Amino acid sequence: MNQTRTLLFFALAFVAYVLWTQWEQDYAPKPPAQPVAAAQADGKPSADASVPGAAVPANVPSDTSATPAGKAELVTLQNDVLRLTIDTRGGSIIRSELLYYPSLPVTRKDPTPPPARLLDDDAKTYFAAQDGLVSNNGAAPDHRALFHAEKTEAVLADGEKSVSLDLTWSDPSGVKVTKRYTLKRMDYVVDLDQRIDNGSQATWTGNAYQQLQRAPAEKASWFKSYTDPAQHSFLGAGLYGPETKFESLNFADFEKKPLNRAITGGWISMLQHYFLVAWIPPADQNVSYSSNIVDPASLTPRYLVRAFGPAISVAPGQTTDSLARLYVGPRLQGTLDAIAPGLDLTANYGWLTIIATPLHWLLSQLHAISGNWGVAIILLVLLIKTALYKLTDAQFRSGARMRKLQPRVQALKERYGDDRMKMQQAMMELYKKEKVNPMAGCLPILITFPIFIGLLRVLSESIELRHAPFFGWIHDLSAPDPFYVLPVLYFLVTLLTQRMMPTAGMDPTQAKMMKVMPLIFGVFFAFFPSGLVLYWTVNGATSLLQQWYINRSVDKAHEKARTA
C-alpha cells in the first residue's frame, strides 16, 4: 500500500465513521423504558430506592404536581465572573451568565456582546440547578417550596472576597431552613449551605439532595451536524467516583443505562461544548446518584441527574448544616482538579486522553510564550513535525522512490494489459530489484495518525480557542474563516501535495477519487472552525515542503547514480 492509498483509506474511514455515527443518532431503534429505582418519571426522589447510603422519604411533591401557594420572585447573586438568577420558588438557580465569556465574538460593530448563558429558564434550552430537603416525619422545603429573600440583589463589592445571598423558609411547626448561596471572587464555584433550625418539639429527620435538569439540544440540520464541532462534542451527564473514575451518559442512554449507585467522594454533572455544571457533595458523604427522564412522553422531556445525601437528624432546639458545592463555568483543563478530584476528566477525550492531555498542556505553554492561540497552533504543528521527522522522512522517501518508478510501472501496465495478477507480480519484482518497499509509507502514518487525531480533539474541545482572534480577518478561531482564505490555501496545498504523490498501480476509480478529494475537503473546510483549518493548512504546507525537499534529494541521488 503506497502513501496515496493510505491517505485515501483514512479519508474514507473518517467519512464512514461520521455517517455511521449520525445514522445511529437518527435511526437506531430506541430501547423500551426501564424502571429506575432512585427517581420517578416526575422528577422526584422515589420512596422505593434500594441504593445504600440514603433512606429516601416518600412524601416528596413532584415537578408536575400542584405547587404551594404564594408568589415567587427572581433574585440575583453576582461576583466578578458569574451572575446567577435564583428563583425563590425552590431556591433554584435557573439562569447563569458567564461574564468573561461573551455569547458572540467581540467585533467593532458589537464590542460588548451579551455574556454566554449556561443555566437557562427558556423552555427550549431549559437547564436548572436545583436542591432541597425532604423528610418523612416533618415539613421540609424541596425544590418547589416557596422561599423568602431579604434582598433582590447581592453583588460582590470592591475589596470584598465573597458575597452571599440568603433564602429562608419556615413551617408553623417551628422548623426553619436558611438556604445560603456564596460566591467568592474570581470563582465559578457556588457554595451551598442549607441550615436546618429545628424549633419544633420533635426530632427532625430527612435528606438533602441536589439535581440538574435540562432539555435536550435542538436537532441540528444535516449540514451543521457535520461541520459544527459543537455537534460532535459530548452532550449529556457525567459521573465520577474514586473507584470507577469518570463515566459519561449521553441522553440517548438515559433509558437503557440509568444511574443508580452510591458513591463516596464523587460528583454528578451535565456537560456540553466548552462548559459544564457539576454538583459536588462533601467528599466524606456516601451519596446516592440517579438519573431519569422527566415527562418522557411529552414533546419537551427533561433529563435529570440527582445526588441524594445520607440521612440528617436534628434534635429539638438544635441546628445542622447541609453543605454542597456547584461548579458553573468553563471546562478549563488543568484547573478543575483543584476543585474536585477527576473534574479535569470532563474534557472527555475518551481513549485519546493519554495523547490529547499532554498536547493541550503543550499548546497552553506555547500560548503563554506567543500570546496568540493561532501562533501557538502553528508552533505546535512545527514541534510535532520536528519530533516525527524521522518517521515521515521514511514515508516520503518511499513515496519519492515509487514516483521515480512510475514510467516503468506504466510500461508494465501497457505490457500486461488487463492481466492484473501478472501485473502485480511484475511490480513486486520491480520493487524488489530497485529496493523499494511499498509498505514503508504505511507504518509512519499508522503511528502519527492518533497524534494528529488527538490534536484535532484538543483544538475542537479547548475553550481557550473560543472567540480567540488570530490575525487580520480572523477574529474567532472557533468560527469559520469569513473570507475563505484558509480553506483556499488548504485546497492549493492539498492539490500540490497530490501531484507529488506516486500514482503507480492505482486503478482509474481511485485516481478519479484522488483528483476530487482536494476539492471536497476544501469545500468542507470552508465551514469548519478556522483554528482547525489553520492546523490542517500548516500541517499540509510543512509536509509539502518536506516532500519537495526529499523529492529533490532522491532526484539528485538518482541522477548521480545514472551518470556514475
Side-chain angles (χ1 to χ4, degrees):
M1 180 183 290
N2 57 34
Q3 181 190 13
T4 304
R5 290 178 176 175
T6 306
L7 291 176
L8 179 60
F9 166 77
F10 281 123
L12 294 177
F14 173 76
V15 172
Y17 169 76
V18 172
L19 290 173
W20 173 256
T21 302
Q22 191 63 35
W23 185 93
E24 284 258 292
Q25 294 176 358
D26 294 341
Y27 303 110
K30 299 295 188 293
Q34 300 179 8
V36 182
Q40 296 178 356
D42 54 14
K44 68 179 180 180
S46 170
D48 60 350
S50 58
V51 182
V56 185
N59 57 340
V60 182
S62 69
D63 285 355
T64 55
S65 61
T67 59
K71 183 180 180 181
E73 61 179 338
L74 302 181
V75 296
T76 302
L77 176 64
Q78 178 180 329
N79 65 0
D80 41 2
V81 297
L82 193 61
R83 179 163 57 236
L84 305 176
T85 300
I86 302 171
D87 192 345
T88 57
R89 174 69 66 190
S92 301
I93 303 177
I94 62 169
R95 204 178 302 154
S96 66
E97 295 167 290
L98 282 64
L99 305 180
Y100 273 21
Y101 292 91
S103 57
L104 299 170
V106 176
T107 61
R108 291 182 180 179
K109 294 182 178 180
D110 189 5
T112 56
R117 183 175 291 185
L118 189 50
L119 299 174
D120 197 348
D121 56 343
D122 185 271
K124 292 183 179 180
T125 55
Y126 183 84
F127 189 7
Q130 303 165 332
D131 54 82
L133 298 167
V134 288
S135 174
N136 268 334
N137 69 340
D142 64 4
H143 65 279
R144 298 183 62 82
L146 184 63
F147 284 79
H148 172 70
E150 292 291 340
K151 51 187 176 182
T152 59
E153 186 178 67
V155 180
L156 183 68
D158 293 340
E160 291 184 343
K161 295 183 179 180
S162 64
V163 58
S164 299
L165 181 68
D166 289 353
L167 305 170
T168 58
W169 172 93
S170 59
D171 184 74
S173 65
V175 177
K176 179 182 177 181
V177 175
T178 302
K179 183 181 294 189
R180 171 171 291 182
Y181 290 109
T182 301
L183 282 174
K184 299 182 179 68
R185 183 173 295 277
M186 293 296 294
D187 202 343
Y188 292 99
V189 176
V190 187
D191 292 318
L192 168 65
D193 180 357
Q194 297 187 89
R195 172 162 293 185
I196 308 164
D197 185 1
N198 187 7
S200 69
Q201 301 300 311
T203 298
W204 185 94
T205 58
N207 304 78
Y209 66 93
Q210 301 85 37
Q211 63 187 31
L212 300 171
Q213 282 197 56
R214 74 170 299 162
E218 291 187 277
K219 188 173 179 62
S221 64
W222 179 90
F223 186 78
K224 187 177 181 181
S225 66
Y226 291 108
T227 58
D228 184 3
Q231 303 300 319
H232 301 283
S233 184
F234 177 77
L235 177 65
L239 174 69
Y240 176 84
E243 296 181 356
T244 58
K245 302 306 179 183
F246 179 74
E247 302 173 64
S248 59
L249 181 69
N250 59 46
F251 293 150
D253 289 335
F254 264 58
E255 286 185 332
K256 59 184 178 182
K257 298 179 182 178
L259 296 177
N260 190 8
R261 195 179 310 168
I263 298 174
T264 300
W267 45 260
I268 198 89
S269 64
M270 285 282 192
L271 287 72
Q272 66 184 61
H273 197 213
Y274 295 138
F275 302 104
L276 81 143
V277 179
W279 274 115
I280 309 168
D284 59 348
Q285 287 188 3
N286 187 20
V287 176
S288 300
Y289 294 96
S290 61
S291 66
N292 207 358
I293 305 177
V294 179
D295 201 9
S298 72
L299 296 176
T300 57
R302 294 176 184 174
Y303 296 88
L304 178 147
V305 290
R306 175 184 292 120
F308 200 89
I312 302 171
S313 181
V314 187
Q318 298 298 310
T319 299
T320 296
D321 293 275
S322 175
L323 306 176
R325 293 181 297 156
L326 177 70
Y327 180 83
V328 185
R331 284 159 45 183
L332 285 170
Q333 300 169 54
T335 64
L336 297 178
D337 272 354
I339 299 171
L343 208 58
D344 252 344
L345 297 175
T346 54
N348 205 26
Y349 291 135
W351 66 275
L352 291 167
T353 297
I354 193 172
I355 299 173
T357 299
L359 286 177
H360 179 272
W361 177 85
L362 183 56
L363 182 66
S364 300
Q365 301 305 310
L366 294 174
H367 172 260
I369 296 172
S370 64
N372 185 292
W373 285 107
V375 175
I377 291 173
I378 296 174
L379 293 176
L380 183 59
V381 173
L382 296 178
L383 283 177
I384 293 176
K385 296 294 288 186
T386 302
L388 301 177
Y389 181 82
K390 287 294 184 181
L391 285 174
T392 54
D393 182 76
Q395 171 191 342
F396 289 145
R397 287 190 182 278
S398 174
R401 293 191 183 103
M402 292 181 67
R403 185 169 175 267
K404 298 296 296 182
L405 296 177
Q406 283 191 74
R408 298 170 67 178
V409 171
Q410 186 63 32
L412 291 176
K413 293 176 68 175
E414 293 175 357
R415 178 187 303 176
Y416 293 105
D418 295 332
D419 193 336
R420 297 184 61 85
M421 183 174 293
K422 289 186 177 180
M423 169 67 183
Q424 291 294 331
Q425 290 176 349
M427 285 180 58
M428 294 307 297
E429 291 177 2
L430 175 63
Y431 291 152
K432 184 177 181 180
K433 179 181 178 181
E434 297 296 333
K435 297 181 180 181
V436 173
N437 182 6
M439 297 297 294
C442 297
L443 181 60
I445 292 180
L446 293 175
I447 295 175
T448 58
F449 188 71
I451 296 176
F452 292 137
I453 293 298
L455 182 55
L456 281 176
R457 288 294 301 274
V458 169
L459 297 180
S460 299
E461 298 294 332
S462 295
I463 191 173
E464 293 89 346
L465 269 65
R466 181 180 182 270
H467 299 169
F470 181 36
F471 289 123
W473 70 99
I474 298 179
H475 303 288
D476 183 2
L477 286 168
S478 65
D481 186 333
F483 299 109
Y484 310 112
V485 175
L486 287 176
V488 170
L489 289 176
Y490 174 78
F491 166 74
L492 295 175
V493 166
T494 308
L495 193 63
L496 292 173
T497 302
Q498 185 190 83
R499 293 187 177 182
M500 289 189 178
M501 288 182 178
T503 57
M506 185 179 296
D507 59 50
T509 302
Q510 285 181 323
K512 291 179 180 179
M513 290 186 66
M514 290 305 298
K515 287 181 179 180
V516 299
M517 288 299 283
L519 180 61
I520 292 175
F521 278 96
V523 172
F524 263 92
F525 278 14
F527 303 95
F528 273 48
S530 53
L532 291 177
V533 185
L534 176 64
Y535 155 69
W536 276 113
T537 303
V538 175
N539 180 70
T542 53
S543 296
L544 178 64
L545 289 174
Q546 185 179 3
Q547 180 73 78
W548 173 80
Y549 173 76
I550 290 174
N551 285 355
R552 285 192 60 191
S553 300
V554 171
D555 288 345
K556 288 182 179 179
H558 180 77
E559 184 65 23
K560 185 177 180 181
R562 189 179 66 83
T563 57

